[in-house]
Amino acid sequence: MYTSRPAFWVSPVMCAAVLVAGVYAALSGLGDTSVPLLVAGLALLVVVDLAEFRRYPVRTPASIAAVLLALRTGLYVGLAYVDGSGLARLLLVLVPFTAFFAFGWRVAVALAVGCLVLAVVSTPGWYAHVEQVSDLVMFAVGLVLTLTMAAVAVRERDGRIRLQESNRTIAELSAAAERARVARDLHDDLGHHLTAIVVSLEKASAFHDREPGTAKAAVLDAERSARRALGDVRESVRSLRPFHLPSALDELVAGQGDVALTVSGSPEEHATGALHALYRAAQEGITNARRHARATRIAVAVELDAERARLTVADDGRGMGAAAEGFGLLGMRERVALAGGRVDIASSPAGTTLTVTIPVAGQA
């Protein structure tokens, strides 16, 4: 929500000053002041100001602003006639001040010149009296100061509006990026597992009568894939909440006796995107070690220091051989690359070591 209209306090403060000066002049017998009319006129000005600011907190539409400006000008002139102190004439500086917010500096400057001409014309013989010359000079200075104040206030208002619009755009882009990330996670994980389930169930259906053992094994494979899919969906939903990599890794390997996990350092200095990429890499590395390398022991190590985050997944399986990388590894490389890191894989018949390194922002 945009900030409220700038410098809204100027008009009420000037009205209060005119009221004090007019009442003092009436009590002291200085000039001819009609206190009831003065109070009523000033009260009406304050009501108009408050009603406008409440209805149009940022900028008044031009047509309505023109009507209100004419109403205020009439009130300023009327107050100048009922105020014996002469201070009410200063309210005319609010004409260009108010116009600046609705019509811009050109209209405001033109009205300021008009107010100055009106003040000169309404003061016959001013050039023969030092006091009146001084009053007109001070009035001109007041016009310049109010125009300057209005220009600064408008610039500040427009700057805040641009800042709020920029913040809203950034928030929308961040939300869109997060939605894309979640969609990518669901597509990569859930799509893979659902495909595996369909294939397994088709296999079970095909071998149901001829080879019941093969069909039963296929059903069990489908069940395992369904459980993995459920786990991945839960992880995707969990990723929408504040993410803590050590806790997530503990949950990932919980109950898996063939996986040894070590974590050193603190994740505080590392971006959430980098930590998510490490978690996904650990998940993919463990899955590949079991499914493809047929490993019996898997060691997962995470090092988090001031310069980089590093994940290592080492297994004692049969290695990758000359097989091409699958979609899982390709997706891992894409995630890590988006976080500004790299993926290294060393494989031999004695086992495979997956290493993911992501520098801290500014350390690359």
Side-chain angles (χ1 to χ4, degrees):
M1 183 177 180
Y2 293 142
T3 184
S4 60
R5 185 187 300 263
F8 67 91
W9 50 268
V10 173
S11 178
V13 168
M14 292 191 66
C15 288
V18 170
L19 176 62
V20 172
V23 172
Y24 175 79
L27 295 177
S28 303
L30 302 176
D32 186 12
T33 299
S34 176
V35 175
L37 291 177
L38 180 66
V39 172
L42 292 174
L44 182 57
L45 274 176
V46 173
V47 170
V48 171
D49 289 340
L50 292 178
E52 181 187 8
F53 297 163
R54 181 179 294 273
R55 179 64 179 85
Y56 305 105
V58 178
R59 185 182 289 111
T60 306
S63 58
I64 297 176
V67 174
L68 293 177
L69 184 62
L71 174 62
R72 287 191 176 99
T73 303
L75 288 172
Y76 297 152
V77 173
L79 288 169
Y81 279 102
V82 301
D83 175 33
S85 70
L87 188 62
R89 296 179 60 185
L90 290 178
L91 290 176
L92 286 173
V93 302
L94 294 177
V95 173
F97 178 80
T98 304
F100 205 117
F101 296 101
F103 306 109
W105 68 270
R106 291 183 176 85
V107 174
V109 170
L111 289 174
V113 173
C115 288
L116 183 58
V117 171
L118 178 62
V120 171
V121 172
S122 62
T123 312
W126 58 270
Y127 46 83
H129 303 278
V130 176
E131 295 83 359
Q132 293 180 350
V133 171
S134 177
D135 290 343
L136 290 174
V137 170
M138 294 303 297
F139 183 73
V141 171
L143 288 171
V144 173
L145 291 177
T146 53
L147 287 176
T148 303
M149 182 186 297
V152 172
V154 167
R155 181 174 299 180
E156 180 184 4
R157 177 197 65 189
D158 293 344
R160 290 182 179 179
I161 291 175
R162 287 192 296 270
L163 178 60
Q164 291 173 341
E165 291 175 345
S166 298
N167 290 339
R168 185 171 63 249
T169 300
I170 292 173
E172 291 173 353
L173 291 175
S174 298
E178 182 65 12
R179 287 194 296 269
R181 185 189 67 78
V182 173
R184 186 170 60 247
D185 289 348
L186 292 176
H187 176 271
D188 292 348
D189 296 331
L190 193 58
H192 169 74
H193 293 308
L194 289 178
T195 300
I197 292 172
V198 170
V199 171
S200 296
L201 292 178
E202 289 178 346
K203 182 179 178 180
S205 177
F207 287 89
H208 180 268
D209 296 326
R210 292 178 296 169
E211 299 182 19
T214 302
K216 182 179 180 180
V219 172
L220 292 176
D221 287 340
E223 180 184 357
R224 283 192 290 268
S225 294
R227 293 184 183 277
R228 285 194 292 268
L230 180 59
D232 288 343
V233 169
R234 287 173 176 168
E235 291 300 330
S236 295
V237 173
R238 187 182 294 112
S239 69
L240 298 177
R241 300 192 294 268
F243 183 74
H244 186 254
L245 179 61
S247 300
L249 290 174
D250 284 337
E251 293 181 10
L252 178 64
V253 303
Q256 302 181 30
D258 57 342
V259 181
L261 171 67
T262 58
V263 179
S264 62
S266 171
E268 300 301 328
E269 298 182 4
H270 300 271
T272 301
L275 299 178
H276 273 295
L278 287 184
Y279 176 80
R280 288 297 187 181
Q283 191 179 38
E284 183 68 21
I286 294 173
T287 300
N288 287 341
R290 283 211 185 94
R291 184 178 303 171
H292 304 298
R294 298 181 181 176
T296 59
R297 294 186 63 82
I298 304 170
V300 179
V302 176
E303 302 173 22
L304 304 170
D305 56 39
E307 296 183 356
R308 69 179 186 276
R310 173 174 290 177
L311 165 75
T312 303
V313 180
D315 65 64
D316 62 353
R318 61 184 181 179
M320 296 177 58
E325 294 185 359
F327 289 110
L329 287 176
L330 291 177
M332 180 200 304
R333 292 188 184 277
E334 291 178 357
R335 293 177 193 277
V336 173
L338 287 174
R342 72 175 190 273
V343 177
D344 298 306
I345 299 177
S347 182
S348 72
T352 301
T353 299
L354 166 71
T355 304
V356 177
T357 305
I358 304 177
V360 174
Q363 299 291 336

